[in-house]
Amino acid sequence: MHIDLRTVTITPLRHTFDHVARRLGADKPASRYQEGTYDMQATANFHYRPTWDPDHEIFDASRSAIRMADWYTFKDPRQFYYGAYTMARARQQDTAESNFDFVESRGLAEAMSPELVRTVLDQLMPLRHVAWGANMNNASVCAYGYGTAFTQPCIFQAMDNLGIAQYLTRMGLLLGDQEALDAGRKAWLEDDRWQGLRRYVEDTFVLKDPFELFVAQNVALDGLMYPLVFETIVDDVFASQGGTAVAMLTQFMTEWSAETRKWLDATMKTAAAESDENRALLEEWTRKWRDRAAAALTPVATIALGAKADEVVGEVTEQFNKRLAKAGLAL
Amino acid sequence: MDMKVAKKKLGLKERYSHMTRGLGWDTSYQSMDDVYPYAKYEGIKIHDWDKWEDPFRLTMDAYWKYQAEKEKKLYAIIDAYNQNNGHLSVTDARYLNTVKLFLTGVSPLEYMAHRGFAHAGRSFPGAGPRIACLMQSLDELRHAQTQVHAISNYNKHYNGFHEFRHMHDRVWYLSVPKSFFDDAVTAGPFEFMVAIGFSFEYVLTNLLFVPFVSGAAYNGDMGTMTFGFSAQSDEARHMTLGLEVIKFILEQDPDNLPIVQRWIDKWTWRGYRVLALVAMMQDYMLPKRTMSWKEAWEVYFEENGGALFKDLARYGIKMPECAKTIALEKDHLSHQTWGTFYNYGAAAAFHTWVPDEDEMNWLSAKYPSSFDKYYRPRLEYWREQAAQGNRFYNKTLPMLCTTCQIPMLFTEPGDPTKTCYRETTFKGEKYHFCSDHCKKIFDDEPEKYVQSWLPVHQIYQGNCFPEGTDPTAEGFDPLAAVLQYYHLEFGRDNLDFEGSEDQKNFDAWRGMATRNT
């Protein structure tokens, strides 16, 4: 049944802001994602050059070798503006909180064998620092990238990376103690198995092209690491050894990585579809950083996988290639 | 049997430390100088980043939770306000011009703050301040977007809002707030933190953000009021960060003191000049006044700011010199600024008007030493002229101050009958200033300020006409061409409030909402 509540009806003069209407092709109602994103970044008449980078304007598309006729061609399929983003994460945070409570209240951590706990901590604790590096890199892309449609999801990504580092920290404190964090840190700084990965992360810190950094961090490294560590090692290997609790404590990471991939793939697809030059460049960067990431992750994966690490990294890489093929990249 | 050893319970501070600074490390495959290339060039010396005291201990899970709660409430109120045609419950349609000024002048700055804090948050080698900056970066994006969303419904019904982004980068008076923030972002990360984190967020926020939000509350604008109140707890965090930054820098090395003092002097003045727009808003544009500019300055700067600088005296920080000049201007600032906008009302994207008799009496009471003597006669003359059909619109272009970019409208400190002019010569070119303080800022960094994109100069150079304009064509109207370049619709966005489309529509719609005919 329909009930007809009456309100005074006023015919509006326009439906959205003019710059949004130009992008929609007509004056029609726009979403909050569109009004909060389109043209939010200044593009003209900058007053001064940055004293920290006098070769560029404050916002300058030429910081990247990727060329776009319009940087607002990028669209976040999740349609995340601040409100939508925080509400989505708050829901996930709720789940994570119950998972931590569940594991703690049922004593599930104590139910795991000490050997398994040690492997879990050895495998996962140094990743706190990898996630921290990801936070720095996404802050860079947000600061030095061009156009809100491209940069806005990167501040979300940066804060997610920080959140992940903090979930890992909580897990370390739950399964071990601060010694577990210290041991992870020591391994990150000194253990040979981690040095390839640390070198990778530090090398990305000095990348100047925001789009290449985006590829090296979000597409290549996280694109291999999350499927390898959270979907394979945690969900399959640890779970089969009585470590389902670990999967519960890292559920956020698994879901997050599946969700963010939609945005990453859409971004790669849009940039590659723009021109042959872009595609060639993205393929070159993705290949280069994929190979380095795979090589750096293999010794890390031996912690849980032993001799099978090579094979599993190979499988994950193959999946990765298929995934990027859908975005139009031949790797 | 193994005895389960009870875990050492971590203190809040220790736990938070693992969640933040414990994540960072000193790089060795790349040098720290390459990883943090902008950390040293300003001359600020930091010896121990671990001495940073985290001013608030907020982990991401808690952040998402609190912020999402606030967002849910905020958008529910905005939706209800819009659905209910809340815009018709504002005091009168002149009020909307305040919101136009806010959206075109301030909201784009919130966005700049978002990117600026991302840059600062990437630049500091210390993990503690980096995280605090990145959280602020995210908050500032929130502020920019909630403002656009809350004001979006006004844009559907009134003029002057429709091209806020385009105008911010082009329109003459908007170059004042724009150049202010461009200046901060192009400075190094430490200066940015002193400029925005401390001077703007801590010292001046009560004079910028608060008057707009209180004005909204007083004038029935629940949309603007709600985002203001919703941002309050974010602002409290930002203020705490701003103060912590100053203390941290000063405690690290005595050599930092003169640098920081120079920045505080500069940014107090830069910020104050932007506040000229707020002063006129408070005294002239709010139909229902909250407090006068002068009262606001006395409470929020002279009293509260005075206490702050007393507190900072133990670090050797002194009250900025410019406070004396500002005290001399406080009886004149809003009147001189509004007078200028009334003059240039054809080139502004909001409406101007002469205050009515009640409002003039309020101004007399609030400014007993200046209003009746200097400003009332001029307003009465303009009112008289307008009544005779001679509403005055100034069609010449004013000289601008190279630093703050405001037309040279201010008078000599202590003599409201004489316009204040200062000039300096740099590499054979002459530059003009509105005050000793703006001149000093230029003289300290001339290489930076010669780059200023001064709207009047740009118009004269032919850079502010739509593409394809031929200024040599017969009948070429430069003002009309400039307004087209601004995307400012002549007769709708500009001119006097009296007779405007906003005025007519508001009256008609309010009639529909409150009467039966």
Side-chain angles (χ1 to χ4, degrees), chain B residues 206-218:
Chain B
N206 276 321
L207 290 156
L208 176 87
F209 194 67
V210 173
F212 275 107
V213 175
S214 311
Y218 267 54

Side-chain angles (χ1 to χ4, degrees), chain A residues 234-279:
Chain A
V234 171
D235 285 0
D236 298 343
V237 181
F238 292 162
S240 70
Q241 298 169 4
T244 323
V246 180
M248 289 186 75
L249 300 177
T250 57
Q251 189 188 338
F252 180 92
M253 287 72 140
T254 317
E255 283 180 4
W256 172 84
S257 126
E259 176 221 272
T260 53
R261 244 172 270 161
K262 290 182 202 152
W263 156 62
L264 296 166
D265 292 355
T267 304
M268 293 296 274
K269 192 175 180 177
T270 303
E274 175 86 0
S275 68
D276 290 344
E277 291 76 17
N278 278 3
R279 193 172 54 248

Side-chain angles (χ1 to χ4, degrees), chain A residues 129-139 158 161 201 205 217-218 222:
Chain A
H129 307 289
V130 183
W132 173 247
N135 163 274
M136 282 178 59
N137 283 336
N138 278 299
N161 298 141
V201 171
F205 285 162
Q217 176 63 56
N218 296 327
D222 286 354

Side-chain angles (χ1 to χ4, degrees), chain B residues 450-462:
Chain B
V450 295
Q451 303 170 58
S452 304
W453 191 91
L454 294 169
V456 170
H457 291 51
Q458 295 298 324
I459 291 171
Y460 278 130
Q461 287 168 32

Side-chain angles (χ1 to χ4, degrees), chain A residues 18 22 51 145 152 174 202, chain B residues 7 29 41 115 145 162 186:
Chain A
D18 291 2
R22 281 194 290 277
T51 54
Q152 161 176 253
L174 179 66
E202 293 187 14
Chain B
K7 273 186 195 159
Y29 295 108
Y41 81 101
R115 298 289 291 269
Q145 291 181 329
H162 58 103
T186 52

Side-chain angles (χ1 to χ4, degrees), chain B residues 361-402:
Chain B
N361 293 340
W362 183 87
L363 288 165
S364 301
K366 295 294 180 187
Y367 295 97
S369 68
S370 63
F371 184 73
D372 285 349
K373 189 168 176 193
Y374 301 108
Y375 304 108
R376 183 192 279 266
R378 190 166 67 173
L379 290 165
E380 285 175 348
Y381 176 72
W382 284 337
R383 183 171 62 189
E384 208 177 284
Q385 290 296 307
Q388 292 166 20
N390 301 322
R391 167 56 162 100
F392 175 63
Y393 292 111
N394 195 333
K395 285 199 156 191
T396 63
L397 300 182
M399 180 190 267
L400 302 181
C401 170
T402 305

